[in-house]
Amino acid sequence: MLTRLHNIVQDVVASGKFAEQLQIIVVEVNKALGTEVCSVYLMNPMRSGYIMAANQGLNQDVVGQISLGLDEGLVGLVGRRAEPINLEDATKHPRYYYMPGLGEEAFNAFLGVPIIHHREVLGVLVVQQRAKRRFDESEEAFLVTLSVQLASVVSHAQATGGISALSGSDYPAQDVMFKGVPGSPGISQGVAVVIQPVASLDGVVDREVDDVTAELQILDKAVESVRADISRISEQFSGSLPREELALFDAYLHMLDDEAIPGDIRDRIRRGQWAQGALKQVIREHVRRFEQMEDSYLRERGADVKDLGLRVLSYLQDIRTKKIHFPENTILVAEDVTPGMLASIPAERLKGVVSIKGSGNSHVAILAQALGVPAVMGALDVPIFEIENQSLIIDGYYGEVFVNPSPGLSNQYNDLIDEEKEFTQELDLLKNLRCVTRDGWRVRLWVNIGLSGDISRSLDRGAEGIGLFRTEIPFMSKDRFPTEEEQRVIYRHHMEAFEPRTVTMRTLDVGGDKPLAYFPITEENPFLGWRGIRVTLDHPEIFLVQVRAMIKANVGLECLLRIMLPMISSVTEVDEAQRLIDQAYDEVLEEGLQVKRPSVGVMIEVPSAVYQSRLLARKVDFLAVGSNDLTQYMLAVDRNNPRVAELYSESHPAVLKAMREVARSAHAEGKFIGCCGEVAGTPAGAILLMAMGYQVLSMNATNLPRVKWVLRNVKRRDARRMLARVLKMETTAEIKAYMQGELIAAGLGRVVPSHHK
Ligand code: PEP
Ligand code: MG
């Protein structure tokens, strides 16, 4: 049975057209269960009832014609109850509904199971038989299992308009939205230009050759041509991208160094494989290695290697990138957008990016942000083969894509784009103003930083300090632990750029989803395992080197250096860390350097730290809430798991109460309190945290100007009133709706895009 089920699902997935997919289902289910009728009923686009979408065994003419109300017949009952109904003689059931023309009079046995996706009933799968009999448990289980697997196919058809097409033109056209994840903020409208990879590595066959020298020469020529292309592209970008982002292209060139990828390819050619086959094998190996990495940032690097491989292959096959016309408002769409593709489009014509694969961590997302171009990543349902030259709207704030929008929607978004432009110009004027509420309450807006490219972006947007330096990021880009001097140089670079502002360096926070390739940690449950301070306290040699590098980086500068400890779950960890920091500081002084002792603070990221926050505050100079992890641990929701993403909410009442508790503890001990999780960079979050008395909000540089604008336009008195209301609310939804309403009522609706109001 399992093989049969597997085969049906595979056949369905392999067939592209929705009507064909449904036909495969009804035919194969009849075969598998020995039934005479199998039908699929689907919820119509207006959600007002079901249409007969496919059948085998009944009158074929009724497909797309027959429809049932939500409460009509046994199909309606299966949908309402959201569970299977199994009847020996359906005609005797009070809900049996005779539909003339269908031809089901002769059938008695009935088994209907709902098709449900993310809690929503999308349709009903039915089998029928002449004989009066009850379907046995294994038959029922088979149909239920099949329907669970088909739900995503139906959901895709619903999103892509496949269901409207089945039902003819009876339903008014609706704007269809495809959901992805935000890659780079902003909204744009434009024309889809779909770029396919120029050649396919999968199509390359293995082939033995005798003339090894000739193959080596072909390879050298191809690699040289790709190097030249990349240098040209990098030059083309040199005016529009900061130096740090241009380093990406250097990374590409490094991969093409003799001892890197080409070296491996040459080895294989020397063993008798032709150049194309050797290239395919080496690229696959490298890509696989990247894809197995647990860290999502490193995983994405596999796409870069693939892109390089394809470029070399296209020269080996003597295929050049076809000359594509890029209209003025190009929205680049590709299965897996690569930095190279981005670079092939004149910067002034590129208005947006849609990538079917990838995440907010992808290089492309980072580049798009640097270029100020909206991007939607991981838009799995976008029908890439059907949208060439079609008009698109993309919303990089919410990760949404609309294909062929109606004039109404298009106008609505055009207005939004105009508003945005105006708003950004206005926000630029705030750069040098302090963040003070209308009734004079001062809030410090700092930035979260990691890549060195963040420095210029942050200072450009008026950052007043660094609230979180994620030091693990420079550790990740190495193949061994960086030395004390290497670390000192990186840290000093940031401190010099920010002098005399405050710089908060977090000690190494690896483990969880942030492994180091050269320090593997394999655990069943990494988020509850060896993470953050737990690792560094077990390895004082790593901790001491890092702390010394931080302290030394500050020699002779006016920066206020703060050292922050991640993942603290007990006071003993703080005592031990303080002892080591004292030791590191004394060692630096013994070396004859003159420097102030840094302040030390604790991140509040786990529930135990919330309950001991008063005690913790007594032991350190400041507390900073890491709301990203605090939310994950309080709600028991993995922050990286898309399946439970809807349960992850920093505005959950329990999380907000915890954050208020921590602020109270810090105030009671007279210590500084900040928040450096994503919630601090949202308009509603910033208002509530300010009302709770958070003195520092640290966020990514992109969000900073908006948050400043919002806070400068509210009164703390009003924010406290909102907080009091919110703390009495029971659900996230209630809180979100209320805060949205308050923002709009206060005239701050510009930070709530109008289609989400
Ligand atoms: C947090 O957990 O909120 C935080 C700021 O740290 P990170 O996102 O790096 O885990
Ligand atoms: Mg954290």
Side-chain angles (χ1 to χ4, degrees):
M1 226 29 161
L2 188 64
T3 321
R4 191 128 212 188
L5 201 109
H6 184 69
N7 290 344
I8 300 179
V9 174
Q10 273 206 330
D11 287 352
V12 167
V13 172
S15 154
K17 291 232 165 64
F18 186 50
E20 279 169 26
Q21 292 176 315
L22 294 180
Q23 204 50 39
I24 294 173
I25 294 167
V26 292
V27 171
E28 293 302 321
V29 167
N30 270 340
K31 262 196 227 157
L33 294 182
T35 41
E36 285 140 355
V37 174
C38 177
S39 336
V40 180
Y41 292 85
L42 296 180
M43 186 67 80
N44 69 34
M46 308 300 290
R47 310 266 193 282
S48 59
Y50 299 93
I51 51 168
M52 153 74 81
N55 83 61
Q56 190 194 37
L58 296 176
N59 182 359
Q60 289 298 306
D61 298 342
V62 299
V63 170
Q65 304 300 319
I66 280 204
S67 54
L68 283 167
L70 287 178
D71 287 308
E72 256 174 352
L74 292 167
V75 167
L77 192 62
V78 173
R80 274 285 181 230
R81 286 202 189 158
E83 62 178 352
I85 292 184
N86 186 351
L87 301 170
E88 195 176 327
D89 186 354
T91 58
K92 296 270 174 356
H93 193 280
R95 286 290 293 270
Y96 177 76
Y97 177 72
Y98 173 69
M99 270 183 293
L102 189 55
E104 65 171 357
E105 303 81 326
F107 302 100
N108 294 297
F110 172 101
L111 170 61
V113 302
I115 303 170
I116 300 179
H117 189 67
H118 289 314
R119 301 184 185 192
E120 194 190 341
V121 176
L122 304 181
V124 177
L125 181 59
V126 176
V127 287
Q128 289 168 283
Q129 218 168 349
R130 255 172 244 277
K132 286 189 188 159
R133 68 148 180 131
R134 230 183 119 77
F135 289 92
D136 69 27
E137 278 185 1
S138 69
E139 289 167 318
E140 192 173 317
F142 172 85
L143 214 58
V144 168
T145 314
L146 184 66
S147 131
V148 168
Q149 299 201 30
L150 292 176
S152 57
V153 174
V154 176
S155 155
H156 179 86
Q158 194 183 45
T160 52
I163 297 178
S164 316
L166 282 177
S167 54
S169 55
D170 290 346
Y171 300 100
Q174 284 182 320
D175 282 307
V176 181
M177 186 253 280
F178 298 95
K179 196 91 188 99
V181 294
S184 168
I187 298 171
S188 63
Q189 292 215 41
V191 177
V193 176
V194 180
I195 300 192
Q196 309 282 5
V198 286
S200 154
L201 282 169
D202 292 335
V204 173
V205 291
D206 289 337
R207 186 176 294 162
E208 304 272 310
V209 282
D210 296 329
D211 195 348
V212 167
T213 317
E215 291 301 311
L216 287 173
Q217 279 170 353
I218 300 174
L219 176 74
D220 285 348
K221 257 176 103 178
V223 169
E224 236 358 272
S225 308
V226 175
R227 292 184 68 92
D229 283 352
I230 293 174
S231 303
R232 184 177 40 75
I233 291 168
S234 167
E235 215 153 273
Q236 200 173 306
F237 261 140
S238 59
S240 50
L241 276 181
R243 199 158 40 90
E244 294 75 13
E245 310 302 346
L246 287 171
L248 280 182
F249 296 103
D250 289 340
Y252 261 46
L253 289 174
H254 277 311
M255 286 194 237
L256 287 177
D257 281 349
D258 269 356
E259 62 280 13
I261 290 176
D264 292 350
I265 302 174
R266 259 188 218 110
D267 283 349
R268 283 174 198 260
I269 295 177
R270 288 196 192 99
R271 277 185 259 142
Q273 185 58 239
W274 70 320
Q276 293 191 29
L279 171 81
K280 176 188 74 178
Q281 294 170 0
V282 169
I283 295 294
R284 274 196 182 161
E285 245 165 49
H286 281 261
V287 169
R288 205 172 309 131
R289 220 170 296 146
F290 274 108
E291 285 177 349
Q292 280 166 354
M293 291 185 181
E294 280 181 29
D295 174 63
S296 54
Y297 177 82
L298 291 176
R299 229 174 14 241
E300 297 294 348
R301 304 289 71 77
D304 300 341
V305 176
K306 210 186 277 171
D307 181 47
L308 262 190
L310 289 174
R311 282 171 181 274
V312 177
L313 182 65
S314 75
Y315 276 101
L316 289 178
Q317 296 181 341
D318 206 18
I319 307 167
R320 305 282 181 276
T321 317
K322 70 175 172 71
K323 270 261 162 270
I324 301 176
H325 168 68
F326 295 109
E328 302 242 314
N329 49 356
T330 295
I331 295 192
L332 165 65
V333 184
E335 180 72 23
D336 204 352
V337 177
T338 61
M341 288 179 188
L342 267 194
S344 64
I345 304 172
E348 69 285 359
R349 292 179 177 239
L350 181 65
K351 295 290 179 278
V353 176
V354 177
S355 186
I356 309 303
K357 292 190 181 159
S359 69
N361 272 332
S362 308
H363 253 160
V364 169
I366 297 166
L367 272 178
Q369 284 167 28
L371 293 168
V373 173
V376 175
M377 308 294 294
L380 295 173
D381 286 327
V382 165
I384 187 163
F385 297 111
E386 298 157 29
I387 61 168
E388 175 77 17
N389 279 331
Q390 310 261 359
S391 140
L392 297 188
I393 292 176
I394 72 164
D395 183 337
Y397 293 113
Y398 293 92
E400 295 172 352
V401 179
F402 296 88
V403 180
N404 275 332
S406 60
L409 192 74
S410 186
N411 288 340
Q412 194 184 327
Y413 272 90
N414 265 334
D415 290 348
L416 273 178
I417 292 169
D418 289 345
E419 272 171 37
E420 283 249 333
K421 240 188 239 154
E422 228 175 87
F423 193 27
T424 310
Q425 282 164 2
E426 258 176 65
L427 291 178
D428 278 348
L429 303 175
L430 299 182
K431 181 181 156 185
N432 297 319
L433 299 179
R434 292 180 352 142
C435 180
V436 185
T437 63
R438 280 176 49 206
D439 47 358
W441 182 265
R442 170 96 168 95
V443 183
R444 286 163 184 82
L445 300 188
W446 294 354
V447 279
N448 297 346
I449 223 165
L451 294 168
S452 55
D454 294 337
I455 295 178
S456 50
R457 271 199 292 281
S458 304
L459 293 172
D460 276 355
R461 288 173 178 77
E464 299 175 273
I466 298 179
L468 165 61
F469 186 125
R470 291 188 164 99
T471 57
E472 55 279 2
I473 295 180
F475 275 66
M476 282 175 176
S477 56
K478 290 233 168 313
D479 53 9
R480 51 166 175 76
F481 282 106
T483 63
E484 182 177 315
E485 179 56 12
E486 282 170 339
Q487 291 186 52
R488 188 195 67 82
V489 169
I490 298 171
Y491 304 155
R492 184 156 182 103
H493 177 54
H494 286 76
M495 290 184 186
E496 278 174 347
F498 273 79
E499 194 190 15
R501 303 170 179 87
T502 300
V503 173
T504 313
M505 313 284 300
R506 176 168 75 183
T507 60
L508 190 64
D509 185 21
V510 290
D513 62 342
K514 292 185 281 194
L516 296 175
Y518 48 89
F519 186 59
I521 304 172
T522 314
E523 291 174 315
E524 284 278 309
N525 208 342
F527 275 112
L528 300 183
W530 208 39
R531 250 203 93 173
I533 196 76
R534 300 170 184 181
V535 176
T536 46
L537 287 181
D538 286 350
H539 280 281
E541 75 284 18
I542 297 172
F543 189 80
L544 285 167
V545 164
Q546 184 174 38
V547 172
R548 274 201 307 265
M550 290 172 177
I551 297 173
K552 284 184 183 172
N554 198 25
V555 170
L557 297 180
E558 293 292 308
C559 281
L560 174 63
L561 171 62
R562 312 199 311 167
I563 292 181
M564 186 158 80
L565 309 169
M567 273 295 287
I568 292 289
S569 58
S570 76
V571 286
T572 33
E573 289 166 337
V574 179
D575 292 338
E576 284 172 39
Q578 290 272 33
R579 188 181 56 75
L580 290 172
I581 293 171
D582 283 339
Q583 180 184 330
Y585 179 61
D586 289 344
E587 286 164 3
V588 172
L589 295 187
E590 277 164 24
E591 284 183 39
L593 297 168
Q594 297 247 321
V595 63
K596 273 200 253 135
R597 188 186 191 279
S599 320
V600 176
V602 159
M603 286 190 81
I604 306 292
E605 302 188 276
V606 296
S608 61
V610 173
Y611 289 107
Q612 290 201 297
S613 51
R614 183 91 191 248
L615 206 52
L616 290 168
R618 231 170 268 160
K619 289 178 176 283
V620 290
D621 304 304
F622 67 94
L623 299 183
V625 170
S627 56
N628 306 340
D629 275 315
L630 185 60
T631 305
Q632 145 163 286
Y633 292 122
M634 285 204 66
L635 304 182
V637 175
D638 178 347
R639 61 193 265 192
N640 295 318
N641 181 347
R643 224 176 265 156
V644 286
E646 286 198 12
L647 298 176
Y648 182 96
S649 168
E650 295 138 323
S651 36
H652 188 290
V655 178
L656 291 176
K657 286 207 174 91
M659 292 200 282
R660 196 220 5 199
E661 193 55 38
V662 177
R664 284 185 166 171
S665 299
H667 296 152
E669 295 300 326
K671 299 291 166 66
F672 228 59
I673 174 76
C675 175
C676 54
E678 293 304 308
V679 67
T682 64
I687 290 179
L688 293 174
L689 289 168
M690 177 267 285
M692 291 177 195
Y694 279 74
Q695 294 132 330
V696 177
L697 302 180
S698 190
M699 62 203 72
N700 74 49
T702 312
N703 290 338
L704 195 144
R706 277 164 191 265
V707 168
K708 189 189 270 189
W709 180 79
V710 167
L711 293 181
R712 283 177 57 88
N713 282 294
V714 292
K715 286 193 178 145
R716 182 153 195 269
R717 193 169 356 111
D718 292 332
R720 286 175 64 84
R721 173 185 52 77
M722 292 178 217
L723 177 65
R725 284 283 296 276
V726 160
L727 288 173
K728 291 202 183 85
M729 292 180 181
E730 294 178 4
T731 64
T732 301
E734 210 182 334
I735 293 171
K736 280 192 172 157
Y738 169 74
M739 286 306 293
Q740 206 141 301
E742 285 288 324
L743 281 168
I744 294 167
L748 305 175
R750 292 167 88 178
V751 290
V752 185
S754 52
H755 63 301
H756 284 278
K757 281 178 188 171

